[in-house]
Amino acid sequence: MQALVFDGRKLQYTTSRGAPQPAADEAVIRPLRMGVCATDLEICRGYMGFSGILGHEFVGVVEKVSGAAHKRWVGKRVVGTINCACGKCDMCRGGLREHCRNRTVLGIHGRDGCFADLFALPVKNLLEVPAGLDDDRAVFTEPLAAAYQVLQQLTIEGRPYITVLGDGRLGLLCAQVMSQLNATVRCVGKHPEKLALCEKWGVKHRLLEEVGLRADQDIVVDCTGSAQGLPIAMQMVRPRGKIVLKTTVAPTHAGDAIDLSPLVVHEIQLIGSRCGPFPEALSALAADKVDVVSLISRRMKLADGMEAMRVASQPGVIKVLLEP
Amino acid sequence: MQALVFDGRKLQYTTSRGAPQPAADEAVIRPLRMGVCATDLEICRGYMGFSGILGHEFVGVVEKVSGAAHKRWVGKRVVGTINCACGKCDMCRGGLREHCRNRTVLGIHGRDGCFADLFALPVKNLLEVPAGLDDDRAVFTEPLAAAYQVLQQLTIEGRPYITVLGDGRLGLLCAQVMSQLNATVRCVGKHPEKLALCEKWGVKHRLLEEVGLRADQDIVVDCTGSAQGLPIAMQMVRPRGKIVLKTTVAPTHAGDAIDLSPLVVHEIQLIGSRCGPFPEALSALAADKVDVVSLISRRMKLADGMEAMRVASQPGVIKVLLEP
């Protein structure tokens, strides 16, 4: 089958990869749409030390399952959470399966991803996509869930000032999600053509170069995907404010030393935030509460996956979708 | 008068400094004991870009006041909070005077400190020392308040595992304070002779080299005062756990790049923590709930302040007290 493989050093498109063999209680899924994420690009720069088939954003159809009890899934259109848990460690028993000590993560850690004709995922991770939700929207479930995770980690009191820092894929999703709060929300980025989407959605937006770093925001969500994001966030947030950190960068990028003493002096809370709740995201997409279609910059074939990864790393490009 | 002055480049002892002139509503205080803090040492390495008389830990006697309404303070034995607020900015009006936008900080930012025969501080910052509390203990009010601040920033649920990382001045105070919680607390450090104090107090303790970095602590309090503290704390704390960051280091020290992606992957909260509540600290000292006398390594004269700073930076030394 065809697949987009990172071998630890370089990215390759292949047509000679064998089909996945599902383990017990796993489904084999044929993706209909796949999304390219900043994490995929970071992995190709060494992040997570991953090697294998890339990709973790998908909507697809269950082709087969291992285990008769799971027969009902065959033929169903699904999305799926990406952390595959052991169910036995202290984290799993404590209800934090996404933090399982022994987890594999689809296309990120210890498990082949979805940029292929077929891939395997535990049945437990699957959610059926409502009939009214098309593939172009459903493929955004995973990144939108990551945006909803921010809401789960914050307690909103009063009517706070919130800055979403970064106007990329995740920033534009977070800006829309945060706008649902009783808060004054703005998206701050570097790209006028991306920020123009905020205009369309009625979300306040500003160019970074036009924004004063006045330490007056109650909450800053760093979606920059850049090591430069946090130092800016520390200058934007008020004393005793909160920074939600969504950015993960490969260690080579982190090479710029960050002075963390402002966190202590201003008693700032820094909250790491990763994967989020799929049900909330699916439900928001089904109810058309979030516009994701406007984020689609390009549709490309999996066979052009190498080029798709290059395109996704270009400035101005928001979301690149892959089709089989 | 005599004073210990950092001129922005080097530390100097002088006897030719003029006495301070109190501004409106300020007191002039004659210190009886002064404490040397890690922050004083960091300032001499460039932290905060401060120049002026060093020192912010003291117990002293009010010599005079500016403003007839404050006459009752004259002759009183006092300690004092170190942040001098404007009372007018958004932070002051919001009840966060210690985060005043226009503040000066005793011996740290824009205001001469207490390592002198006399120094000035707003009357509003003063607290009278109870008669039963001697000078040797009272001088620990400021650092002990910084330890109590950690309690104010945490909500303890269940019976968490807490590691206080660092066996220096602040670490040993935090270890004692945290031990008052319904929690399993241990102090982890590098110095057997310092950790021996924990033994005396009945606080669990371990050498860093003997501790597994197992991501199993619910809370880690970084009191290392070293840029190496946070990377270790990130390996000790469990997913979704909390790190309280007490360490501030001069930017030159922060030169080692820290990979912050574990914060995101493990959704760790990093909580900056600075100055704390004086009333709690004074009350704990008066009730003998915390042993500070055992932390006193040396007593030296202010005239030997240069040497005192050198001694305070030696491994094995905990607290150096200065006397007039």
Side-chain angles (χ1 to χ4, degrees), chain A residues 99 101 215 265 267 270 274, chain B residues 99 101 215 265 267 270 274:
Chain A
H99 287 288
R101 304 276 185 185
V265 172
E267 296 191 308
L270 188 58
R274 186 168 46 99
Chain B
H99 287 288
R101 304 277 186 184
V265 172
E267 295 191 308
L270 188 57
R274 188 168 45 102

Side-chain angles (χ1 to χ4, degrees), chain A residues 47-48 90-91 96 98-99 101 103 149 153 214-216 230 237-240 245-251 254-261 263-275, chain B residues 47-48 90-91 96 98-99 101 103 149 153 214-216 230 237-240 245-251 254-261 263-275:
Chain A
Y47 176 62
M48 292 299 291
D90 58 334
M91 289 293 123
L96 295 176
E98 64 273 42
H99 287 288
R101 304 276 185 185
R103 72 184 178 278
Q149 179 70 354
Q153 294 177 289
R214 293 201 197 87
D216 58 1
L230 181 56
V237 76
R238 70 165 171 85
R240 290 265 178 97
L245 189 63
K246 277 286 181 190
T247 293
T248 49
V249 287
D256 324 63
I258 296 177
D259 175 13
L260 294 177
S261 65
L263 294 182
V264 178
V265 172
H266 304 305
E267 296 191 308
I268 296 164
Q269 278 191 39
L270 188 58
I271 302 168
S273 177
R274 186 168 46 99
C275 299
Chain B
Y47 176 62
M48 294 297 293
D90 58 333
M91 289 294 123
L96 296 176
E98 63 273 42
H99 287 288
R101 304 277 186 184
R103 72 184 178 279
Q149 179 70 353
Q153 294 177 292
R214 294 202 197 87
D216 58 1
L230 182 56
V237 77
R238 69 164 171 86
R240 291 264 178 98
L245 189 62
K246 277 288 182 189
T247 293
T248 49
V249 286
D256 325 64
I258 296 177
D259 175 12
L260 294 178
S261 66
L263 294 182
V264 178
V265 172
H266 304 305
E267 295 191 308
I268 296 163
Q269 280 191 40
L270 188 57
I271 303 168
S273 177
R274 188 168 45 102
C275 299

Side-chain angles (χ1 to χ4, degrees), chain A residues 5 16 19 26 32 50 62 69 72 79 92-93 98 139-140 146-148 168-169 184 188-189 196 213 252 258 269 305:
Chain A
V5 181
S16 59
E26 283 192 354
L32 300 165
F50 176 74
V62 175
R72 69 172 190 92
V79 292
C92 286
R93 282 181 286 116
E98 64 273 42
V139 71
F140 281 91
Y148 271 98
R169 306 160 186 80
T184 303
V188 173
L213 302 176
T252 44
I258 296 177
Q269 278 191 39

